[in-house]
Amino acid sequence: MEKTALILEGGAMRTTFSAGVLDVFLENKIDDFNGLFGVSAGALTGISFLSKQPGRTKDISINYINDRRYVSVTNLVFKHSMYDFDFLFHDISDKLMPLDHETFQNSSCNFTAVATNCETGKTEYFEKSDCEDIFAAVRASSSLPLISPMIEINGKKLLDGGITNAVPYQKAIDEGYEKLVIVLTREHGFRKHMETNTTMHVLRRFYPNYPNLIRALFNMHKMYNRERNEIDKLELEGKAFVIRPIEPITMTRVEKNTEKISALYEDGRTVAENQLEALKRFLVS
């Protein structure tokens, strides 16, 4: 039987779209993937999918996005991170909206979080069964430049996986997965532009001792556009099934409007429901 991989792009609050898609998957028993590769907030969304808790990712966003303990400038000032991942992984995941740790840990699906090594400027992959603390790896994968501190794992200083590998389809192919289901958070045809000179100047001032990280950030648009071109090709060849927003998502990384968040979740559900039968045919063909 062919191995199937679910691949989740990041995008901060844009992944609310992915949460809607994945909840439709769970409700229709499309949850038997051999591997899951998550980048940044896509990795966070993948956790609730593997714990088989539909609605959890959406509810966390809606219930806590305006909670200063979770997302705030105060966190950035005092904890050097806009998002308080301690609050997410402990207060929320252990008490307020508990994660089903047992189901997640016992999942037969190989879960991989993708991060960027700040010293080498290369991608690092953390697979759950080989990682001492997969949640630390997910935290690293989700730590955005400028608004999050580097996360250190095994002596490696890490940031957001989307810097070097926004959609890790090639990693899945290299590991022998024949069928790829890719959930994107940008519409068809979207391509990135190079960061402005002002942004690059700020990044150089902020990370003066990490030239390889700066180089990766400078070339991030090229990496992303190359990946999107290849994904379009894989889709045309029938090697990948791609689910993406129909229209551009107009949402900031720290979107506070819960109505917009709810609407984006429903968009994800609608797109997934409309493609459900075609996805089933792809998976069994």
Side-chain angles (χ1 to χ4, degrees):
M1 181 175 292
E2 292 181 305
K3 290 172 62 179
T4 59
L6 176 62
I7 301 169
L8 305 177
E9 182 181 12
M13 293 305 295
R14 291 198 310 274
T15 57
T16 307
F17 172 87
S18 309
V21 171
L22 297 187
D23 282 356
V24 170
F25 284 11
L26 286 171
E27 292 162 8
N28 288 274
K29 308 301 181 185
I30 302 175
D31 56 3
D32 192 25
F33 294 94
N34 303 109
L36 190 156
F37 297 78
V39 181
S40 196
L44 288 167
T45 306
I47 290 175
S48 292
F49 178 74
L50 293 186
S51 69
K52 300 188 186 301
Q53 292 177 273
R56 182 175 180 273
T57 297
K58 176 202 69 173
D59 290 343
I60 288 174
S61 295
I62 290 174
N63 293 339
Y64 294 103
I65 194 63
N66 289 300
D67 190 320
R68 291 184 179 181
R69 295 172 295 174
Y70 183 29
V71 186
S72 66
V73 175
T74 301
N75 286 340
L76 186 60
V77 172
F78 291 102
K79 299 184 179 182
H80 308 294
S81 178
M82 184 76 77
Y83 288 86
D84 187 341
F85 288 113
D86 287 332
F87 181 70
L88 173 62
F89 285 114
H90 297 296
D91 295 74
I92 293 179
S93 292
D94 292 339
K95 302 172 186 177
L96 301 172
M97 298 191 67
L99 174 73
D100 187 340
H101 285 273
E102 183 177 0
T103 299
F104 172 73
Q105 293 293 351
N106 291 335
S107 172
S108 61
C109 179
N110 296 315
F111 175 73
T112 301
V114 182
T116 295
N117 187 314
C118 298
E119 294 172 317
T120 67
K122 303 296 184 182
T123 309
E124 299 280 349
Y125 301 98
F126 297 89
E127 207 283 314
K128 183 181 69 173
S129 63
D130 296 326
C131 184
E132 184 176 331
D133 186 350
I134 190 61
F135 296 108
V138 171
R139 181 185 300 216
S141 179
S142 307
S143 293
L144 300 171
L146 301 179
I147 65 171
S148 300
M150 294 177 184
I151 303 299
E152 188 167 324
I153 299 177
N154 299 330
K156 298 175 180 178
K157 296 180 179 179
L158 307 162
L159 279 175
D160 178 31
I163 298 170
T164 54
N165 195 181
V167 192
Y169 62 87
Q170 189 59 53
K171 177 64 173 174
I173 292 171
D174 292 344
E175 292 192 0
Y177 292 92
E178 294 99 343
K179 290 191 174 183
L180 312 180
V181 177
I182 303 174
V183 182
L184 301 175
T185 59
R186 295 287 196 182
E187 73 280 7
H188 189 268
F190 176 83
R191 297 296 184 269
K192 282 189 176 182
H193 301 289
M194 185 172 66
E195 294 287 1
T196 64
N197 289 335
T198 300
T199 300
M200 290 309 303
H201 177 71
V202 171
L203 288 165
R204 288 190 183 97
R205 291 288 299 272
F206 204 81
Y207 300 112
N209 300 318
Y210 298 91
N212 291 323
L213 173 63
I214 295 300
R215 188 175 297 109
L217 287 162
F218 183 82
N219 291 312
M220 185 166 64
H221 68 292
K222 295 179 182 178
M223 172 277 300
Y224 185 84
N225 295 342
R226 184 170 58 251
E227 289 184 351
R228 289 297 296 256
N229 289 338
E230 183 63 23
I231 288 169
D232 288 348
K233 180 181 177 183
L234 290 170
E235 185 178 27
L236 286 172
E237 293 173 347
K239 297 176 181 177
F241 190 96
V242 184
I243 298 179
R244 53 171 75 84
I246 303 299
E247 302 291 339
I249 296 175
T250 56
M251 184 173 286
T252 67
R253 287 180 171 178
V254 289
E255 180 64 57
K256 298 286 189 176
N257 188 324
T258 55
E259 290 185 1
K260 287 182 68 174
I261 294 170
S262 295
L264 182 57
Y265 171 80
E266 293 301 329
D267 286 346
R269 290 190 59 92
T270 298
V271 171
E273 287 167 351
N274 289 341
Q275 295 185 249
L276 200 58
E277 294 307 315
L279 173 59
K280 290 177 180 178
R281 290 193 297 271
F282 171 79
L283 291 172
V284 301
S285 63

